[in-house]
Amino acid sequence: MHIYKLSGRNVDVTDAMRDYVEEKLSRLDRFSDQITDARVTLTVRDVRDAGRRNRVEVQLNVPHGIIRAEEHHADMYAAIDRAGDVLERQLRKFKTKYMRHRQDALPQPEPGLAEADVNAGVDDVAEFRPEIVRTKRFDVRPMSPEDAVTQMEALGHDFYVFKNMDSGGCGVVYRRRDGHYGLIEPS
């Protein structure tokens, strides 16, 4: 079983919660050869929408990336269940991609072998291979982050790239799930 670093914000993590997290995330053990580190944060927030009161954030570090899930629910245990389901799907997809990459690196099979033989050992998950389907170029204008938010809203986008006139660096403003905005800037 994987050892997860478990912490709580505005909530005391009880032994029952700890056991439940371990039990629910133990189904990820079949991917344990790929998980290098795991962090779980349970948060209780004072929000109007009771369905978003309890938040579970899980971050799994895997070779060449991070797999992350964030789920909200009125019940903390239900949020843990949902996060576990999301992580399982993402890890299955990661494993499928990893297995296909390993197969591509192997010598190609002789012509005449059945397709089923070639894909043996790969999970039965239909793989979606995202690709860049459009390139867009634009002038990055100097402006304040507040002006960038205004531009983003005017365009109806979820993010906006701009040149920060205060720091001179490139920045990205984005709309957060909680309705507020975020700012990303390189250090």
Side-chain angles (χ1 to χ4, degrees), residues 100 113-120:
R100 287 203 192 259
L113 285 180
E115 181 69 23
D117 294 339
V118 172
N119 290 326

Side-chain angles (χ1 to χ4, degrees), residues 43-79:
T43 307
V44 175
R45 303 178 308 157
D46 185 23
V47 294
R48 232 181 258 161
D49 181 7
R52 297 183 63 80
R53 184 168 190 257
N54 296 297
R55 178 173 64 190
V56 176
E57 298 171 87
V58 184
Q59 178 177 314
L60 304 176
N61 293 324
V62 294
H64 310 294
I66 294 174
I67 294 177
R68 187 176 182 285
E70 179 179 321
E71 288 296 322
H72 304 261
H73 200 276
D75 178 44
M76 182 65 79
Y77 293 96

Side-chain angles (χ1 to χ4, degrees), residues 13-83:
V13 179
T14 64
D15 289 339
M17 283 181 177
R18 185 177 304 280
D19 292 343
Y20 196 77
V21 168
E22 295 257 345
E23 175 190 331
K24 290 301 174 180
L25 298 183
S26 67
R27 64 184 174 197
L28 305 178
D29 283 347
R30 63 185 163 174
F31 304 105
S32 64
D33 59 328
Q34 298 167 355
I35 300 172
T36 58
D37 184 26
R39 198 169 66 218
V40 180
T41 305
L42 308 177
T43 307
V44 175
R45 303 178 308 157
D46 185 23
V47 294
R48 232 181 258 161
D49 181 7
R52 297 183 63 80
R53 184 168 190 257
N54 296 297
R55 178 173 64 190
V56 176
E57 298 171 87
V58 184
Q59 178 177 314
L60 304 176
N61 293 324
V62 294
H64 310 294
I66 294 174
I67 294 177
R68 187 176 182 285
E70 179 179 321
E71 288 296 322
H72 304 261
H73 200 276
D75 178 44
M76 182 65 79
Y77 293 96
I80 293 168
D81 287 342
R82 291 167 107 183

Side-chain angles (χ1 to χ4, degrees), residues 48-162:
R48 232 181 258 161
D49 181 7
R52 297 183 63 80
R53 184 168 190 257
N54 296 297
R55 178 173 64 190
V56 176
E57 298 171 87
V58 184
Q59 178 177 314
L60 304 176
N61 293 324
V62 294
H64 310 294
I66 294 174
I67 294 177
R68 187 176 182 285
E70 179 179 321
E71 288 296 322
H72 304 261
H73 200 276
D75 178 44
M76 182 65 79
Y77 293 96
I80 293 168
D81 287 342
R82 291 167 107 183
D85 293 343
V86 169
L87 289 169
E88 189 170 3
R89 280 193 309 271
Q90 290 179 346
L91 280 167
R92 186 177 294 123
K93 199 185 283 188
F94 175 81
K95 183 178 179 182
T96 301
K97 187 176 180 180
Y98 176 77
M99 294 298 287
R100 287 203 192 259
H101 180 71
R102 283 186 54 198
Q103 278 187 344
D104 290 346
L106 295 174
Q108 294 300 316
E110 296 177 26
L113 285 180
E115 181 69 23
D117 294 339
V118 172
N119 290 326
V122 176
D123 278 352
D124 59 345
V125 177
E127 182 179 350
F128 172 70
R129 293 186 182 198
E131 59 185 72
I132 297 172
V133 295
R134 181 176 175 204
T135 301
K136 189 173 184 179
R137 299 192 189 286
F138 59 94
D139 293 328
V140 180
R141 295 180 292 163
M143 61 180 70
S144 70
E146 292 77 19
D147 291 338
V149 167
T150 303
Q151 288 291 318
M152 176 184 73
E153 290 296 333
L155 293 170
H157 292 175
D158 293 325
F159 68 93
Y160 190 79
V161 180
F162 69 103

